[in-house]
Amino acid sequence: MVLEEIWTSLFMWFFYALIPCLLTGWSAVVQSQLTATSADEVAILPAPQNLSVLSTNMKHLLMWSPVIAPGETVYYSVEYQGEYESLYTSHIWIPSSWCSLTEGPECDVTDDITATVPYNLRVRATLGSQTSAWSILKHPFNRNSTILTRPGMEITKDGFHLVIELEDLGPQFEFLVAYWRREPGAEEHVKMVRSGGIPVHLETMEPGAAYCVKAQTFVKAIGRYSAFSQTECVEVQGEAIPLVLALFAFVGFMLILVVVPLFVWKMGRLLQYSCCPVVVLPDTLKITNSPQKLISCRREEVDACATAVMSPEELLRAWIS
């Protein structure tokens, strides 16, 4: 009985002596686990925040707040999901064409947004081997919400021609141009210009008159127009051609019609006589008899002239008669 009490006392003493050690070890283990858990939480890379889309003239830019990592370069990846992917392909996400591990906190998703339907967009950060969770755009983006600005235009006059050159905004843009003569009750004309960056003739202007022009953009893909640009006017100086000047011009034209053919004919004749002249022999040089007979006749005439001698009286009588 005494031995049993001694063994019980020793056991209790040993148990109470061991409890502080067990508590100290357990506390150390718990503290180390908590420290490791805290370290893991600090090591997790935060996801990008404040996603938004800035869209102007069909150019769509996804933007977000950058993830701060002092002394490190954080890269970002962007993915999108159109209506087709969302409804028919098990919610698959497609990597953006231009934003796979990009450095800047923005991504041009214009080439990814190819239809007028809602698009979901998401982005995540990457730092070394760490990757953040995906941040998704709060509201799906539809390109028909893009902001269409007033088109830039330049109005010039080429002589009496009214010419407009519009800002080139891309192949999706067309322009509706309105122009009119600045006078009470003038009719407004409308012309559709298919592309910008090219001078386009609008109208032949009258001297001394002023003409005004305004324009707006049109995007067929979304069926929307922008507001009209500020109206610009140009004036053509000068007066109509005077009647006397017109008369002189007509007379000069008629003279040209008469003189030019006459001059051409005369020059043709001169060239003909200069290059190919027609030689006409006098009658005295024409030979009608045979050369031998001609020589015989000439000799007889010479002999007759040589033998015939006239007296001075005959010569005076012949001169008087």
Side-chain angles (χ1 to χ4, degrees):
M1 188 71 177
V2 175
L3 290 174
E4 184 178 353
E5 291 179 357
I6 292 173
W7 279 108
T8 302
S9 300
L10 289 174
F11 178 76
M12 293 299 295
W13 177 84
F14 178 77
F15 178 75
Y16 285 118
L18 189 61
I19 286 176
C21 297
L22 292 174
L23 291 176
T24 302
W26 177 255
S27 177
V29 171
V30 171
Q31 185 67 28
S32 64
Q33 289 180 351
L34 291 175
T35 302
T37 302
S38 300
D40 291 340
E41 291 178 353
V42 172
I44 293 176
L45 192 64
Q49 301 297 320
N50 303 320
L51 274 67
S52 63
V53 176
L54 177 63
S55 179
T56 304
N57 291 333
M58 300 297 286
K59 301 293 184 182
H60 319 304
L61 191 66
L62 177 65
M63 307 176 69
W64 57 87
S65 298
V67 175
I68 305 301
E72 301 288 345
T73 301
V74 179
Y75 296 92
Y76 304 93
S77 298
V78 175
E79 294 182 351
Y80 67 93
Q81 184 185 81
E83 186 178 54
Y84 178 81
E85 292 80 18
S86 178
L87 297 178
Y88 304 107
T89 58
S90 303
H91 300 278
I92 189 173
W93 290 85
I94 302 174
S96 174
S97 306
W98 303 102
C99 302
S100 177
L101 297 179
T102 183
E103 293 186 22
E106 61 185 27
C107 175
D108 188 349
V109 293
T110 302
D111 293 340
D112 304 319
I113 310 297
T114 56
T116 310
V117 297
Y119 278 81
N120 295 315
L121 298 166
R122 69 180 185 178
V123 60
R124 71 178 178 183
T126 300
L127 178 60
S129 60
Q130 301 180 66
T131 301
S132 74
W134 288 100
S135 288
I136 301 178
L137 186 67
K138 187 175 181 180
H139 300 289
F141 171 73
N142 194 318
R143 68 181 185 178
N144 62 9
S145 63
T146 189
I147 299 173
L148 298 179
T149 62
R150 299 175 179 181
M153 66 178 186
E154 183 180 359
I155 307 300
T156 57
K157 51 185 178 179
D158 183 9
F160 291 98
H161 300 286
L162 180 62
V163 179
I164 184 173
E165 183 172 348
L166 294 153
E167 177 185 5
D168 187 7
L169 296 175
Q172 299 188 74
F173 282 79
E174 298 176 353
F175 303 89
L176 189 68
V177 180
Y179 58 96
W180 63 95
R181 182 170 177 172
R182 191 174 61 185
E183 61 182 9
E187 181 183 359
E188 182 176 284
H189 304 278
V190 176
K191 185 172 185 175
M192 181 64 75
V193 178
R194 300 300 177 183
S195 60
I198 302 173
V200 177
H201 173 263
L202 294 179
E203 186 172 327
T204 301
M205 302 182 292
E206 296 182 10
Y211 291 79
C212 297
V213 183
K214 63 181 180 179
Q216 64 179 167
T217 58
F218 172 66
V219 182
K220 188 176 181 180
I222 60 176
R224 285 181 53 203
Y225 289 88
S226 73
F228 270 105
S229 63
Q230 295 293 330
T231 301
E232 295 186 21
C233 300
V234 294
E235 184 175 356
V236 181
Q237 302 295 333
E239 299 179 353
I241 300 176
L243 182 61
V244 176
L245 183 60
L247 182 60
F248 275 114
F250 177 76
V251 172
F253 178 72
M254 294 304 296
L255 287 176
I256 290 175
L257 288 181
V258 174
V259 171
V260 170
L262 182 61
F263 176 77
V264 172
W265 176 79
K266 189 65 176 177
M267 289 299 298
R269 295 298 298 268
L270 290 175
L271 291 175
Q272 180 181 0
Y273 285 119
S274 299
C275 300
C276 304
V278 179
V279 179
V280 179
L281 293 175
D283 295 337
T284 56
L285 296 179
K286 293 180 180 179
I287 300 176
T288 56
N289 297 320
S290 65
Q292 188 64 33
K293 186 177 180 180
L294 181 61
I295 293 172
S296 300
C297 292
R298 289 298 180 184
R299 184 175 298 145
E300 292 175 357
E301 291 178 0
V302 170
D303 294 342
C305 291
T307 55
V309 179
M310 298 180 68
S311 63
E313 291 80 5
E314 292 176 347
L315 286 174
L316 179 60
R317 190 181 302 110
W319 182 77
I320 292 174
S321 59

